[in-house]
Amino acid sequence: MRSIKKLLLIFTVFSLISCQEKSCCKAEKEETKTLSATAKAIEQYKLNFEWQKGYEMWSKVPCAEDYHMVAPNLNLEATGAQEIEDIIFGFVSETELKQELVDIVELGNYVICFLKLTTKAGETFDGVEVFLLNEKGEVSKIWAL
């Protein structure tokens, strides 16, 4: 009976050490995540976002010619650079929308941004933007949720 308890203790210690090592390695991997060039451009846009220069800053992100954006909760939809500048960034300017990037994740050809948003009226809410990248690495679709 005593040897069984001893084996159990050794097994428990070994398991704890093994779990700690796995957690450590997982944390290291998360810290060293790499983003594609387009995801990095989106990240820089979000980190340096100023509503007054919204479209000017956004235009540095590679986009397909006919990219499409939809923001269903705001009842906004636009296709192509001109409509996105007029409709989407018109809304951003009108509301003086501030964005704070909380996190960015890239999974396959999707880039997901988690945001804290604030309007000039002081309303704050959480938002998620999902960017679909085409085979050239250009943004082809955006969902603002």
Side-chain angles (χ1 to χ4, degrees):
M1 185 72 162
R2 193 173 182 152
S3 63
I4 292 176
K5 284 183 180 179
K6 195 174 184 179
L7 280 173
L8 239 108
L9 179 62
I10 292 170
F11 179 75
T12 303
V13 170
F14 180 78
S15 294
L16 287 172
I17 292 170
S18 176
C19 288
Q20 286 178 343
E21 286 178 6
K22 287 179 184 174
S23 296
C24 173
C25 295
K26 183 179 178 186
E28 268 183 34
K29 286 180 184 176
E30 287 177 13
E31 287 178 25
T32 59
K33 67 181 177 184
T34 57
L35 298 173
S36 67
T38 302
K40 285 180 186 175
I42 292 169
E43 179 182 44
Q44 285 307 302
Y45 162 74
K46 294 296 183 186
L47 288 172
N48 299 300
F49 182 81
E50 297 175 32
W51 66 265
Q52 304 92 327
K53 298 178 183 176
Y55 187 77
E56 176 187 332
M57 295 172 73
W58 170 250
S59 65
K60 296 174 184 166
V61 175
C63 295
E65 190 173 318
D66 61 343
Y67 71 110
H68 180 250
M69 181 171 182
V70 62
N73 294 338
L74 302 172
N75 206 25
L76 298 174
E77 187 169 358
T79 300
Q82 190 60 54
E83 277 190 18
I84 288 181
E85 182 176 12
D86 294 345
I87 296 169
I88 305 300
F89 287 96
F91 172 81
V92 168
S93 293
E94 182 182 313
T95 60
E96 297 179 11
L97 189 67
K98 295 179 182 161
Q99 300 182 26
E100 176 191 340
L101 180 64
V102 175
D103 197 9
I104 183 168
V105 177
E106 186 168 21
L107 182 61
N109 57 341
Y110 290 93
V111 177
I112 303 102
C113 292
F114 299 91
L115 307 163
K116 293 277 184 199
L117 304 162
T118 307
T119 67
K120 69 180 175 185
E123 299 169 283
T124 61
F125 52 99
D126 295 328
V128 175
E129 287 185 358
V130 180
F131 301 83
L132 175 62
L133 308 184
N134 64 19
E135 64 283 344
K136 295 178 186 174
E138 302 167 323
V139 174
S140 62
K141 181 116 177 152
I142 306 165
W143 295 270
L145 310 169

